Amino acid sequence: MQDEFYRIKRLPPYVIAEVNAMRAAARARGEDIIDLGMGNPDLPPPPHVIAKLAEVAARQDAHGYSASKGIPGLRKAQSAYYSRRFGVDLDPDTEVVVTLGSKEGLANLAQAITAPGDVVLAPNPSYPIHTFGFIIAGATIRSVPTTPDEAYFEALERAVRFTVPRPSVLVMGYPSNPTAEVADLAFYERVVAFAKKHKIWVLSDLAYSEIWFDGCPTPSILQVPGARDVAVEFTSMSKTYSMAGWRIGFAVGNKTLISALTRVKSYLDYGAFTPIQAAAVAALNGPQNIVEDNRLLYHRRRDILVEAFGRAGWDIPPPRASMFAWAPLPPALAHLGSLEFSKQLLTEAGVAVAPGVGYGEDGEGYVRIALVENEQRLRQAARNIRKYLQSMGVNTPAAKAGV
């Protein structure tokens, strides 16, 4: 009997799972681990959203199968969000589909539009579903940079000229997970023009649309005139409203792609639990103060992380958006590599981070730090890291000052 299945053979061991297993084992031993590894929000959803969930769940008629593409009220609420936030008017019937989180939507759209052997352009480093969703579907990945600069477009042009078959899909995500890089509208304009010229579909992951800093709101690719001819965009309730475990997201944009995703999903699921969808409507249509409050909280955490870790001897560039910092390894310990450094940070400092190599080979030399612990815990993490760095012979600011 065959025990190595075709698609499983295409999936390498999940590097980040190694650190996750070590973290779980340490906690099982009773150790206090400051977990900055997984982007799992530590904040609750708004009270009125939880109240709506309970209210609808108490109804006797709310427990049957739901709608795979999402209940009409939720698709209308997402359309209203795009209108007020981006000035983009969407048809909730043909340009919006509700997904079980953006991750499920990306994976199922990959299944819908990809044939074995298709070439897909995806960033490296990137959130794993951006590549492995298509690898599972049988595609071949050609990597492009994450940095939205001239080198990005040079890589796209090379890919079109020298790849056989020609690429059919371009995946991107800004603010980037894991690198926290951001893109502006001028960048999206060039992407749309490139995609139209070369007849390439564009999948934009905008999961961190509302976690932006320093007065620079993130744009949507759909703000570009004509973008809906080639592009769909994924958003999520997970980070914006602290509803990660609820698994509610959206795909919006090009009608052909939305129709394909809707059709595939109709075979695979009956949609999210109706009370959860009703609560998501309450989140999108109700008071939006949580969005600003969460943004300010992540902003404060970012500033504390950069300041406290810097004083501990680890300089971290301040991210411009997202709930992550993309941190180069301390130069004196760069030889360890991101996986070994992450392991040592866990065992010696009690701090969990995600090794950059887990997001692609170009992530080597970095770790991803999630802003999912409170300010006191971030400062404690910095103190633990300072002691670890000193034990490794790193000349930290505290050591220089004789502390």
Side-chain angles (χ1 to χ4, degrees), residues 1-5:
M1 182 181 293
Q2 182 179 2
D3 59 0
E4 285 195 69
F5 303 109

Side-chain angles (χ1 to χ4, degrees), residues 64-68 70-71 270-274 277:
Y65 294 126
S66 191
S68 178
I71 61 175
Y270 286 107
F273 185 38
T274 298
Q277 294 197 55

Side-chain angles (χ1 to χ4, degrees), residues 156-379:
L156 293 186
E157 293 292 346
R158 285 197 303 273
V160 169
R161 288 177 60 195
F162 299 116
T163 305
V164 178
R166 289 166 67 97
S168 58
V169 177
L170 168 63
V171 185
M172 62 175 57
Y174 298 99
S176 169
N177 177 8
T179 69
E181 291 166 297
V182 297
D184 58 19
L185 206 53
F187 171 81
Y188 285 135
E189 289 170 352
R190 291 186 67 181
V191 167
V192 169
F194 170 85
K196 287 189 171 187
K197 178 181 178 181
H198 297 290
K199 296 180 173 56
I200 293 175
W201 296 116
V202 179
L203 278 54
S204 169
D205 187 352
L206 193 62
Y208 301 91
S209 59
E210 299 304 336
I211 306 180
W212 44 266
F213 310 134
D214 306 319
C216 298
T218 55
S220 161
I221 192 172
L222 299 184
Q223 291 175 257
V224 177
R228 273 179 282 185
D229 295 339
V230 294
V232 292
E233 191 158 67
F234 293 87
T235 56
S236 168
M237 307 288 287
S238 297
K239 312 307 189 295
T240 303
Y241 297 98
S242 300
M243 296 167 62
W246 299 47
R247 307 316 300 138
I248 291 289
F250 304 91
V252 305
N254 178 269
K255 293 180 181 181
T256 300
L257 294 178
I258 295 299
S259 175
L261 176 55
T262 301
R263 186 168 181 179
V264 165
K265 281 176 59 62
S266 72
Y267 283 90
L268 298 176
D269 69 69
Y270 286 107
F273 185 38
T274 298
I276 289 179
Q277 294 197 55
V281 174
L284 285 167
N285 289 347
Q288 297 299 301
N289 53 299
I290 183 179
V291 178
E292 176 68 12
D293 291 346
N294 282 356
R295 184 185 305 125
L296 292 174
L297 182 142
Y298 285 121
H299 197 163
R300 287 195 302 272
R301 289 181 178 180
R302 179 201 74 167
D303 292 346
I304 287 169
L305 175 84
V306 171
E307 180 266 336
F309 280 42
R311 285 195 292 107
W314 188 4
D315 292 328
I316 296 176
R320 296 168 58 191
S322 85
M323 62 191 299
F324 305 112
W326 187 237
L329 303 189
L333 301 179
H335 64 280
L336 294 175
S338 63
L339 180 57
E340 178 60 27
F341 176 78
S342 299
K343 291 178 178 179
Q344 290 195 17
L345 210 61
L346 181 66
T347 56
E348 304 300 325
V351 177
V353 297
V357 71
Y359 301 95
E361 63 185 66
D362 291 345
E364 183 54 88
Y366 293 82
V367 296
R368 193 194 72 175
I369 303 173
L371 304 173
V372 292
E373 293 269 14
N374 64 41
E375 298 170 17
Q376 292 74 26
R377 296 279 282 172
L378 289 174
R379 294 190 187 279

Side-chain angles (χ1 to χ4, degrees), residues 55-75:
E55 174 196 327
V56 180
R59 288 173 20 194
Q60 291 186 1
D61 64 349
H63 299 275
Y65 294 126
S66 191
S68 178
K69 69 182 295 186
I71 61 175
L74 184 50
R75 286 182 278 113

